[in-house]
Amino acid sequence: MSSNILQLNQVSKNYRIGAANLSVLRDISFDIEEGATVAIVGPSGSGKTTLLGLCAGLDHCSEGTIVLNGISLHELNEDQLAQVRNAHVGFVFQNFQLLPTLTALENVLVPMELRGMKNMKKKAMDLLDKVGLSARMDHYPSQLSGGEQQRVSLARAFANSPKILFADEPTGNLDAETGLLVENLLFQLNEELGTTLVIVTHDMELAAKTQRIIPIRGGAII
Ligand code: ADP
């Protein structure tokens, strides 16, 4: 059995805009081993976010195949893709994307509830403890700093015990010191839980800390 958690074979993504066909990704192939840490790097507009979204099942590719944890994403409809995301994937965004009307604890509970998991308060509290936010669990996002919000979003990303975590510029909105704290947490959780990490970044210092760099430019791997 393959130990690859993610396999892309000749993946392309096109957007149709009016009469024009915009090619955003072309002929992307790579495998990622379970437990690995990987950075996807490239200039702005090179297709990194689009690629991450395809890998995480947020969107369909136009051509090629994507197999995540043994599941062929390209064969699934939207509902099935959503199920795969809930069951197998964690996601961290540059702008945190916490729900503003829910407390830190409630935000972490959301993915658990989506999975139909009951009585998860203790696990959610443990996750907030892991990211150093026990004292802030009843705070709303607006009452937290950017770094704290990103730590809540990390705890939320791990709520469904994902095998793979996708992070899109996770430190992009944070100052250097806070960014380092969030980075260290990501690598710590990778080590402790064996979660595969795929990070989109243009920060080469962060990329250099991963085991492997996938450089993309103009929608293709270089
Ligand atoms: P990066 O993350 O490297 O900055 P993106 O993946 O965000 O790059 O974008 C790559 C290209 O795809 C850009 O030219 C962008 O305008 C285009 N693009 C992204 N999403 C869409 C969309 N939904 N419709 C049309 N074009 C898009």
Side-chain angles (χ1 to χ4, degrees):
M1 214 187 101
S2 152
S3 63
N4 289 324
I5 186 147
L6 186 64
Q7 298 167 288
L8 275 75
N9 193 24
Q10 300 197 301
V11 168
S12 299
K13 180 70 180 174
N14 311 311
Y15 288 108
R16 187 155 271 295
I17 300 176
N21 196 23
L22 179 69
S23 162
V24 173
L25 294 171
R26 281 180 308 285
D27 201 18
I28 305 267
S29 300
F30 58 77
D31 295 339
I32 292 179
E33 272 192 25
E34 196 164 346
T37 56
V38 178
I40 297 173
V41 300
S44 181
S46 56
K48 305 182 298 295
T49 296
T50 304
L51 178 58
L52 203 72
L54 297 181
C55 294
L58 290 168
D59 196 5
H60 280 291
C61 55
S62 307
E63 284 166 61
T65 62
I66 302 179
V67 180
L68 176 83
N69 206 19
I71 303 162
S72 298
L73 299 186
H74 49 280
E75 292 170 359
L76 304 184
N77 64 31
E78 297 303 326
D79 287 346
Q80 292 166 324
L81 268 189
Q83 278 174 24
V84 170
R85 289 198 302 273
N86 289 339
H88 300 278
V89 171
F91 218 111
V92 174
F93 301 90
Q94 178 171 2
N95 56 358
F96 326 132
Q97 295 203 8
L98 297 176
L99 294 169
T101 56
L102 301 183
T103 64
L105 182 65
E106 289 164 349
N107 265 283
V108 178
L109 282 165
V110 167
M112 297 166 165
E113 284 160 2
L114 279 174
R115 268 185 99 182
M117 298 158 84
K118 300 260 181 341
N119 303 318
M120 297 309 293
K121 198 168 165 192
K122 165 92 172 57
K123 179 171 175 187
M125 287 164 74
D126 286 348
L127 281 165
L128 283 169
D129 189 36
K130 249 191 201 314
V131 299
L133 284 181
S134 292
R136 300 296 198 118
M137 63 186 174
D138 293 326
H139 289 225
Y140 289 90
S142 62
Q143 298 169 322
L144 299 171
S145 70
E148 287 162 350
Q149 289 185 58
Q150 193 59 307
R151 279 147 68 194
V152 174
S153 101
L154 266 185
R156 177 183 59 181
F158 281 91
N160 60 352
S161 308
K163 284 208 169 161
I164 188 162
L165 181 102
F166 296 97
D168 193 353
E169 300 279 7
T171 58
N173 276 0
L174 306 176
D175 61 75
E177 196 181 327
T178 312
L180 203 58
L181 198 97
V182 166
E183 258 174 58
N184 289 342
L185 267 172
L186 274 171
F187 289 110
Q188 182 195 324
L189 290 164
N190 159 263
E191 261 184 33
E192 274 178 28
L193 308 172
T195 313
T196 310
L197 280 186
V198 183
I199 307 174
V200 157
T201 184
H202 58 249
D203 174 354
M204 289 311 290
E205 276 183 45
L206 167 56
K209 292 178 190 166
T210 64
Q211 292 158 352
R212 177 171 161 209
I213 294 178
I214 297 176
I216 76 166
R217 191 171 287 252
I221 293 182
I222 49 167

